Amino acid sequence: EGCFYTLGEDLANVLDEATRTGAQLLLIGDFNARIGRENVTNDEEDAITRKSEDEVLNFEGKKLLTFCDNNALKILNGCCRGDYTGKFTFIGALGASVIDYAIVKEDNPDIRLDVLARTESDHLPLVVTLDWSFVLQPNSVSIFRVRWCWDKTFNAAFSRDLDRELQKFIVDDSVDLSTLVVGLNERIQSAAKTAGVRRSSTRKVDEHWFDRECKEEKRKVRRCLYKFRRSCEEVDRLIYIAARKALRLLYYKKKERDDDTWNKIRNSKNTTDFWRVVNSYRKGKDRKRQDIALDAWKQHFKILLNGTDSMSDDVNPHQEIDDLLFNSVDLLDREFDEQELNKAINKLKGGKSPGIDMAINEFYKAMSRSARSIVLKTLNVIWRTQTCPREWRIGDIIPIYKAGKEADTNNYRGITLLNTLYKIMTTMMTSRIQEWAEQEGIITENQAGFRKGYGTRDHLFTLNARRKEIEIVNGKYMKMILGLNFNTPDYLWAMELGRNDLECVAMKRVFKYVLHILKMDEKRWPLICLKEMINPNWNPKFIWWVDFEKMVNSVGSCELVAAMRQNQDENIVFWMEDALSTLIEQGLQSRWRRIDDSTFCPYYQWIKQDFLEAEYLQDLRISTINREMWTRIRCGNEHRGEKKWLAERDQLCRLCSERWRPWTIFLCGVRF
């Protein structure tokens, strides 16, 4: 049945609602219908003359006219501003036609329609210019940051022009700090402009295969298209079709040679190399909620950062504390030298957004030695005066959308972009404080983050090597909590509490993490690395996988490794549970054997018949003192040597106040 009858049924409610509420309506796209020079209505009074380069009227075109006439719609092609001639909207190998339309309500205001030239597709784009007004939220702002389009080819020119700019730049203690900082920044940006560095509000994205040759060929095809649209001759159409085929063939050849990018990704040795290649071809994220009022942002970050409306003049409210802690320390008080400056500049990363000074990190990296000496003098002037320039205390806060409702400011994370010269100075200060703290022994071995030569792996290695020590510490702590003697065997309190060995806890966590990785998407790197680890042909084997195999084989669960290599999800879960239960059972059997052979508490095997936590430890009605006494009795802490070294009064049972005998524990247990 007719597509427009179906379309009319689907849009009936939408058209009725638009008519009832007076809303605007626009239908645009490929209708696959040719209406020639016919219009929606054939009434002589209402008829509007249409022009069209396509004079063919087909059956689908008649249905489109009927659909528009029944729903009070008008076709813009050939009878509105921008397209009075009814230009072709489709140019293919078999011919040219008008099958793409823009349709609006009859009472809509005047609208402009343009048919643009494009060579990428047989269909030409329709551009509709609307004069419909939309009410934006008051006091809203749309901010687009300008970027420097830097390239390494600018290094020599920028360094030369900056040296010329700084020849007459005077650095002295008598000059105002703000004037000094602003003057240096102005000369840096002036040198960048002179060197030819462009500024753009868009992010540069590598097209990898679309080079200058492709652009030139595309211009030639576009000229052929313009020529055909002016003449509408068949010869010009055939020339345009041939030129477009040649352009597509060129695109195909360029894409075939574009294998270098994928080779770099495949050969990336770490995540840093991988994302460096990927990010060069990624487009920036869409900007979110540009219509949020500026006052809303201001109030949000004012509350979040505990800020005020005015800037405090007290630069360092903790000056007395600083003088007390760092007084007469030459390492911290001396002026900065050239070596410190070069180290701080080398730490700056490329491709980062600048602060309010708009001086990117690449500017400082490309500076010559003479230019860096001017920067060093400027920083030392600020260091001697112990005053922070006002420009350094102002930053641009960029809200980054995380998750949730886009209209809620609480769903954004702010990133403050600071002055680049300020970041260089704080980097040098941080290096000094770290060196001084290391020399004075202020930072302990427990702190591994943000320290050179330290890392989380150090702690992991220490924990693995000190497992026995951890078990001893854990045992001492649990005995202290339960009120047991220090010489009480660990298997007694562990059985009393129903605790598993550390190996069981570690295995459970390892299995949980492996299942988490196996549920990831196929493109995630953790899953890719795990599949490489379990590959039996991979040589040499990964250390982590070797340890995993040893752990699994120790409980006789070789089937788990086979299930993981065959991607059998259900079997993996089953064999993991089987391996975990086997390890728990092995630990329990080892404890039962030690309990049977125990001389510390020989009757514990009659008391404890399961491996669950004792019921009296879970009963909140029992006081802590009674719970502690009962634990000591059950674990053999109250009958050692039958208390013969104590006075007769002290040999009485704490629960029943009768003389202690080996069977007292069972009688008291019934009473208790």
Side-chain angles (χ1 to χ4, degrees), residues 335-353:
E335 295 184 355
F336 300 106
D337 55 28
E338 183 179 356
Q339 184 179 4
E340 289 179 299
L341 178 63
N342 291 334
K343 286 183 179 180
I345 292 178
N346 292 335
K347 288 182 179 180
L348 296 176
K349 297 181 180 180
K352 299 297 181 180
S353 298

Side-chain angles (χ1 to χ4, degrees), residues 625-641:
I625 297 176
N626 290 335
R627 188 182 297 115
E628 179 181 329
M629 289 191 301
W630 189 240
T631 305
R632 289 176 59 83
I633 292 175
R634 286 169 60 95
C635 293
N637 284 190
E638 289 295 333
H639 74 286
R640 297 293 294 162

Side-chain angles (χ1 to χ4, degrees), residues 35 74 84-85 114 186 228 247 265 270 278 337 370 377 474 532 664:
I35 62 175
K74 70 176 182 180
Y84 285 119
T85 59
D114 294 285
E186 289 178 350
F228 167 68
L247 178 62
I265 293 176
N270 48 51
V278 173
D337 55 28
S370 59
K377 291 179 181 179
N474 185 35
E532 291 181 354
T664 304

Side-chain angles (χ1 to χ4, degrees), residues 97 105 125 149 156 160 163 207 272 313-314 320 516 637 642 662:
S97 61
K105 294 196 302 183
C149 300
R160 182 183 64 252
D163 291 341
E207 293 293 340
T272 303
D313 295 331
D314 190 2
E320 296 180 359
H516 172 69
N637 284 190
E642 298 187 0

Side-chain angles (χ1 to χ4, degrees), residues 278-427:
V278 173
N279 288 334
S280 62
Y281 299 99
R282 295 174 66 185
K283 295 183 178 180
K285 295 182 179 180
D286 296 334
R287 296 181 179 270
K288 302 286 186 180
R289 301 311 300 181
Q290 291 290 306
D291 56 344
I292 295 180
L294 184 61
D295 293 338
W297 288 120
K298 182 178 179 181
Q299 186 66 20
H300 169 68
F301 286 110
K302 181 180 176 181
I303 297 174
L304 184 65
L305 304 176
N306 195 22
T308 58
D309 294 330
S310 60
M311 183 181 295
S312 174
D313 295 331
D314 190 2
V315 179
N316 188 3
H318 308 291
Q319 184 66 43
E320 296 180 359
I321 300 178
D322 293 345
D323 294 340
L324 179 63
L325 293 176
F326 307 120
N327 191 20
S328 67
V329 179
D330 181 66
L331 177 62
L332 301 176
D333 295 340
R334 61 182 172 85
E335 295 184 355
F336 300 106
D337 55 28
E338 183 179 356
Q339 184 179 4
E340 289 179 299
L341 178 63
N342 291 334
K343 286 183 179 180
I345 292 178
N346 292 335
K347 288 182 179 180
L348 296 176
K349 297 181 180 180
K352 299 297 181 180
S353 298
I356 198 172
D357 59 336
M358 294 306 298
I360 58 178
N361 297 338
E362 286 81 356
F363 290 166
Y364 290 91
K365 285 180 168 291
M367 285 183 179
S368 63
R369 185 172 183 179
S370 59
R372 292 191 179 188
S373 64
I374 299 296
V375 174
L376 182 61
K377 291 179 181 179
T378 304
L379 293 175
N380 282 327
V381 169
I382 298 173
W383 183 255
R384 287 193 297 268
T385 57
Q386 299 184 13
T387 304
C388 180
R390 185 179 181 85
E391 288 73 20
W392 287 9
R393 301 163 64 189
I394 301 175
D396 287 341
I397 301 180
I398 308 299
I400 306 298
Y401 172 73
K402 302 304 293 183
K405 295 182 179 180
E406 297 180 6
D408 188 0
T409 55
N410 294 317
N411 295 326
Y412 291 78
R413 175 173 59 88
I415 295 180
T416 304
L417 304 179
L418 302 174
N419 189 291
T420 306
L421 195 60
Y422 166 77
K423 291 189 290 186
I424 293 175
M425 188 168 187
T426 54
T427 301

